[in-house]
Amino acid sequence: MNEQFDQRFLSARRRYIESQFSQLNDMQRKAVMTTEGPLLLLAGAGSGKTTVLINRIANLMRFGRGSDSNEIPEYITQEDIAFLESIEPDSAYDCRRADCLCAVEPATPWSILAITFTNKAANEIRDRLSSLLGPEAEDIWAMTFHSACCRILRRDIEAMGYTRSCTIYDTSDSERIMKDIIKDMGLDDKTFPAKYVLGAISREKDKMVSSEEMLERAQASGDLRALHIARCYAKYQTRLKDNNALDFDDIIYVTVKLLQEHEDVRQYYQRKFRYVLVDEYQDTNHMQYLLTSLLSAGYENVCVVGDDDQSIYRFRGATIENILSFEKQYHGCRTIRLEQNYRSTQSILDAANAVISHNLGRKGKRLWTSNGRGDPITLYEASDEGTEGNFVASRIIAGSRGKNFRDYAILYRTNAQSNALEFALKRNGIPYRVIGGTRFFDRAEVKDMLSYLCVINNRSDDLRLRRIINNPPRGLGAKTIETAQRLADAEHKPLYDIVSDPYSNTPLEQPPM
């Protein structure tokens, strides 16, 4: 093949693939067609990053690395090139033939891992992929960090000393265990609140610090408070392991340890995932960074999407350094900025650009839109919360002619701010609905039912068993349950084994009065 032949084919292939994503803007299309190696997408607010992720996955499955490769299949002929060059945008043609000519190792759906932060975002991606790709989309790993780790652990967690029927504890479950530990250790629960201790443990897990390492460090420093927390950490992990359970932090922590310590498992997933995509990368913590690095190390086709100006989860362990240093950590990284906004007017974007321009340590980008200037922004500085509420109510009343009240939304930062706003709305006869409240899975009756299901699945889950053992009431008093628990602890058995066969177990001798 001569050079002219090669260039004709490469140009025709790129032109055809580009035509399949003609609905995207130039930078979005560039992001979709950059498939190989590390890629950093700096996506401003409202720039269509989800659309880019969806179309990028579609490109990977349809054309593989065809849009980002100079490889030319040996079977290409002059007639094939002429066919590709003859295709006009939006014209009727043999799509299957063109796709076969342009594809280079199309990705299988199960070789693509797309990680998001929320179940809502993951569901949206799956729904849109299903609409675009059909049934094949069901095999794509489009899920949250925790969901992906749970799927990995269900397959290989036995290597870490757990069984596959292990239970996942939520925040309230963890707090109940920690309160028991604090009580057993004789610590003051006001000096060592369960939430505070769990927060300290969570920060250590994010740094991949084990309870043994934290205890050793605390002993060396002589810090009595840190020493107590380290001992709580050790007892907490022992209690979880005895219950065959993991907390939310453990889901990622244990997965990372599994990949680090077991080469066969690590190689399996590095060979499996040919492409790894991570959304909201600016909000990842150290564990999530390690997990991404481990899973993508096989092919190094890792694409992270984020906005360094929207990092708001530092209080939860997120580190902006993950996105700021991505180009240094991955040799040969390419960076693409998505700056066209589809959601706002230029007035809003000008104000946002002016504010974020003062951020330190940012990559730098400037949002723009073709939506026009729009109405100017009104800034009102109230003297107190009552005045603020009255101002909001008056603006709604003044602008409500010909509009429905449901067309208005009031955003506030903390729940405490809603009181003054609700009072002003009621006084002015404005109907409203507060979005939020107790989540479905936090309701007592739902947690009770889930506890029953968890105990059926995992008989070692003492925490869930103690929640339902007398619910509904069965005449079991606190003293009886405490005696059964002490007997279980003494014999190193799950509580279920004791209560399911009470006649084979003798109560412990009571200490003399």
Side-chain angles (χ1 to χ4, degrees):
M1 298 292 179
N2 57 43
E3 184 176 348
Q4 183 180 9
F5 179 94
D6 293 349
Q7 288 302 318
R8 279 186 62 200
F9 172 73
L10 292 175
S11 297
R13 179 170 69 185
R14 186 166 186 85
R15 173 175 170 271
Y16 171 73
I17 297 177
E18 281 184 340
S19 70
Q20 305 307 296
F21 303 100
S22 58
Q23 76 279 13
L24 305 178
N25 66 43
D26 291 343
M27 298 310 291
Q28 288 176 331
R29 190 160 50 249
K30 182 178 179 182
V32 165
M33 298 183 66
T34 304
T35 64
E36 305 307 298
L39 174 64
L40 171 61
L41 296 182
L42 291 175
S47 59
K49 61 174 182 172
T50 303
T51 297
V52 170
L53 285 175
I54 298 299
N55 283 275
R56 193 169 191 274
I57 292 173
N59 180 41
L60 294 173
M61 290 181 57
R62 188 174 173 186
F63 300 108
R65 52 191 179 88
S67 62
D68 199 22
S69 169
N70 290 326
E71 181 178 328
I72 301 175
E74 295 180 357
Y75 54 79
I76 296 298
T77 65
Q78 291 281 1
E79 195 258 331
D80 291 330
I81 296 177
F83 167 71
L84 289 177
E85 290 176 336
S86 68
I87 297 175
E88 295 295 332
D90 301 323
S91 64
Y93 55 85
D94 187 348
C95 182
R96 287 176 297 179
R97 181 186 176 189
D99 283 8
C100 289
L101 292 173
C102 295
V104 180
E105 297 181 352
T108 54
W110 51 86
S111 70
I112 300 173
L113 172 63
I115 300 179
T116 65
F117 261 80
T118 65
N119 287 317
K120 181 180 179 181
N123 290 335
E124 180 185 358
I125 288 179
R126 282 195 294 268
D127 291 343
R128 292 177 63 175
L129 284 172
S130 295
S131 299
L132 187 63
L133 302 173
E136 278 189 303
E138 296 178 5
D139 292 324
I140 297 171
W141 281 47
M143 55 192 66
T144 64
F145 273 104
H146 286 89
S147 296
C149 288
C150 283
R151 183 176 291 190
I152 292 172
L153 291 176
R154 292 301 179 195
R155 178 184 183 273
D156 295 296
I157 196 171
E158 290 176 348
M160 299 301 290
Y162 298 84
T163 71
R164 295 185 182 183
S165 62
C166 66
T167 304
I168 306 300
Y169 284 174
D170 62 16
T171 303
S172 62
D173 295 328
S174 297
E175 286 182 14
R176 287 176 63 191
I177 288 182
M178 185 53 68
K179 288 177 180 178
D180 289 342
I181 292 172
I182 291 170
K183 181 180 178 181
D184 293 342
M185 291 180 62
L187 299 176
D188 182 3
D189 59 2
K190 291 184 175 60
T191 305
F192 294 93
K195 285 186 178 180
Y196 172 81
V197 176
L198 287 170
I201 292 173
S202 178
R203 288 189 290 273
E204 295 301 319
K205 286 183 179 179
D206 176 46
K207 301 172 189 173
M208 296 303 297
V209 175
S210 67
S211 58
E212 294 83 5
E213 292 170 326
M214 184 183 183
L215 185 59
E216 182 179 342
R217 188 183 64 200
Q219 289 171 337
S221 68
D223 186 334
L224 185 59
R225 187 178 187 82
L227 187 60
H228 285 316
I229 294 176
R231 288 171 177 163
C232 287
Y233 184 5
K235 289 181 178 293
Y236 175 70
Q237 290 304 118
T238 299
R239 190 75 62 88
L240 288 179
K241 195 70 173 288
D242 290 344
N243 289 357
N244 192 34
L246 304 172
D247 66 11
F248 279 142
D249 291 319
D250 281 334
I251 294 174
I252 301 180
Y253 178 83
V254 174
T255 304
V256 172
K257 296 286 283 186
L258 171 69
L259 295 171
Q260 289 176 333
E261 297 174 3
H262 296 271
E263 185 178 359
D264 58 329
V265 178
R266 181 172 67 252
Q267 289 183 353
Y268 170 82
Y269 286 103
Q270 288 178 352
R271 288 193 295 265
K272 175 181 177 64
F273 295 127
R274 181 175 160 194
Y275 295 99
V276 176
L277 302 88
V278 183
D279 194 12
E280 304 292 0
Y281 195 67
Q282 78 279 356
D283 290 327
T284 53
N285 59 28
H286 183 61
M287 280 196 300
Q288 291 161 340
Y289 158 75
L290 289 175
L291 179 67
T292 302
S293 300
L294 287 165
L295 293 177
S296 63
Y299 294 91
E300 289 199 346
N301 292 329
V302 53
C303 169
V304 300
V305 185
D307 184 358
D308 49 317
D309 293 318
Q310 294 190 70
S311 181
I312 60 173
Y313 290 115
R314 185 180 182 88
F315 69 96
R316 291 200 322 211
T319 171
I320 190 66
E321 282 302 315
N322 288 348
I323 194 169
L324 294 179
S325 60
F326 185 83
E327 293 163 297
K328 297 178 182 177
Q329 294 163 348
Y330 289 89
H331 179 69
C333 170
R334 288 179 278 185
T335 301
I336 299 174
R337 287 171 168 78
L338 304 179
E339 298 174 306
Q340 183 175 357
N341 178 282
Y342 292 90
R343 186 184 300 159
S344 305
T345 61
Q346 193 61 50
S347 294
I348 294 174
L349 295 182
D350 288 345
N353 286 328
V355 172
I356 63 178
S357 65
H358 298 285
N359 290 355
L360 301 177
R362 61 190 296 259
K363 291 286 187 180
K365 60 186 172 301
R366 189 165 186 84
L367 300 178
W368 63 276
T369 185
S370 58
N371 293 338
R373 294 289 318 165
D375 296 332
I377 293 174
T378 299
L379 175 63
Y380 176 77
E381 186 173 348
S383 58
D384 54 50
E385 64 272 19
T387 305
E388 180 184 47
N390 291 332
F391 173 78
V392 172
S394 65
R395 288 299 299 265
I396 293 174
I397 292 174
S400 62
R401 295 183 181 86
K403 296 182 180 179
N404 292 319
F405 286 124
R406 66 170 60 95
D407 294 334
Y408 294 88
I410 303 173
L411 306 180
Y412 47 88
R413 190 175 181 87
T414 64
N415 288 330
Q417 291 178 277
S418 72
N419 290 340
L421 291 168
E422 289 187 62
F423 181 75
L425 295 175
K426 286 180 179 179
R427 189 170 57 186
N428 287 276
I430 301 174
Y432 67 91
R433 181 164 62 98
V434 177
I435 307 298
T438 304
R439 294 182 297 178
F440 177 77
F441 285 101
D442 288 339
R443 296 180 183 276
E445 62 273 20
V446 176
K447 291 181 72 67
D448 290 343
M449 183 56 66
L450 286 175
S451 294
Y452 274 99
L453 295 174
C454 287
V455 172
I456 291 173
N457 179 61
N458 177 15
R459 304 299 171 85
S460 299
D461 192 346
D462 288 359
L463 179 70
R464 301 284 171 76
L465 177 59
R466 290 179 62 178
R467 179 183 181 92
I468 62 173
I469 196 170
N470 199 37
N471 186 13
R474 300 181 177 89
L476 294 174
K479 186 65 176 178
T480 302
I481 298 173
E482 181 182 349
T483 301
Q485 184 67 66
R486 287 195 299 113
L487 191 60
D489 294 341
E491 298 188 13
H492 303 289
K493 293 181 178 180
L495 179 60
Y496 187 92
D497 290 353
I498 303 298
V499 299
S500 62
D501 189 15
Y503 298 107
S504 299
N505 297 285
T506 304
L508 296 174
E509 182 179 348
Q510 296 297 318
M513 296 298 290

